[in-house]
Amino acid sequence: QVQLVESGGGLVQPGGSLRLSCAASGRIGSIDAMGWYRQDPGKERELVATITSGGGTSYADSMKGRFTISRDNAKNTVYLQMNDLKPEDTAVYYCNANVRVLARALYTTYWGQGTQVTVSS
């Protein structure tokens, strides 16, 4: 009933920048928190950053100062601006959103399919 589609991943050199986007669509009544996570093969998925519906943000310590999360509530879209990228930032990046589907009272967490970010010279 709800789909999240990420875009913006790719190959970038160390020190470079990328901007990821994640658009939610479907039977959306309202969206609460949205976030970005990442996962390396063989590792657990880890939190990158989250943003509330009111714009409050939180970041994993290793991303503070380099990554910025933002959202456009009118477009149901969350963004992740990544600067000064390092090889250790290489991972599949996933977005998620806590969505209340139309005609329902409870919120459910939905995930995107992931987008690959590779930082390499």
Side-chain angles (χ1 to χ4, degrees), residues 17-39:
S17 298
L18 281 176
R19 189 192 194 210
L20 306 182
S21 300
C22 172
S25 62
R27 294 177 50 80
I28 297 172
S30 60
I31 301 178
D32 190 8
M34 305 181 81
W36 289 96
Y37 291 72
R38 68 186 187 185
Q39 187 170 21

Side-chain angles (χ1 to χ4, degrees), residues 3 7-9 14 16 21 25 27 30 38 40-41 48 67 72 75-76 78 81 84 91 94-95 111-114 118:
Q3 299 80 38
S7 61
S21 300
S25 62
R27 294 177 50 80
S30 60
R38 68 186 187 185
D40 255 348
V48 175
F67 292 6
D72 184 334
K75 296 181 178 179
N76 293 329
V78 62
Q81 176 67 43
D84 189 25
Y94 299 89
C95 69
W111 290 87
Q113 80 288 351
T118 302

Side-chain angles (χ1 to χ4, degrees), residues 16 18 20 35-40 43-50 57-70 79-94 117 119:
L18 281 176
L20 306 182
W36 289 96
Y37 291 72
R38 68 186 187 185
Q39 187 170 21
D40 255 348
K43 295 184 179 180
E44 293 188 357
R45 192 171 295 187
E46 65 173 344
L47 172 70
V48 175
T50 61
T57 60
S58 65
Y59 298 88
D61 287 343
S62 62
M63 289 73 161
K64 288 180 181 177
R66 298 190 300 124
F67 292 6
T68 302
I69 189 170
S70 61
Y79 305 96
L80 185 69
Q81 176 67 43
M82 304 185 292
N83 298 328
D84 189 25
L85 283 161
K86 307 175 186 301
E88 52 265 39
D89 294 319
T90 296
V92 178
Y93 284 71
Y94 299 89
V117 171
V119 184

Side-chain angles (χ1 to χ4, degrees), residues 6-7 12-13 16 26 32 65 82 87 94 107 109-111 115 120:
E6 298 111 334
S7 61
V12 63
Q13 292 186 344
D32 190 8
M82 304 185 292
Y94 299 89
Y107 283 81
T109 299
Y110 292 87
W111 290 87
T115 185
S120 175

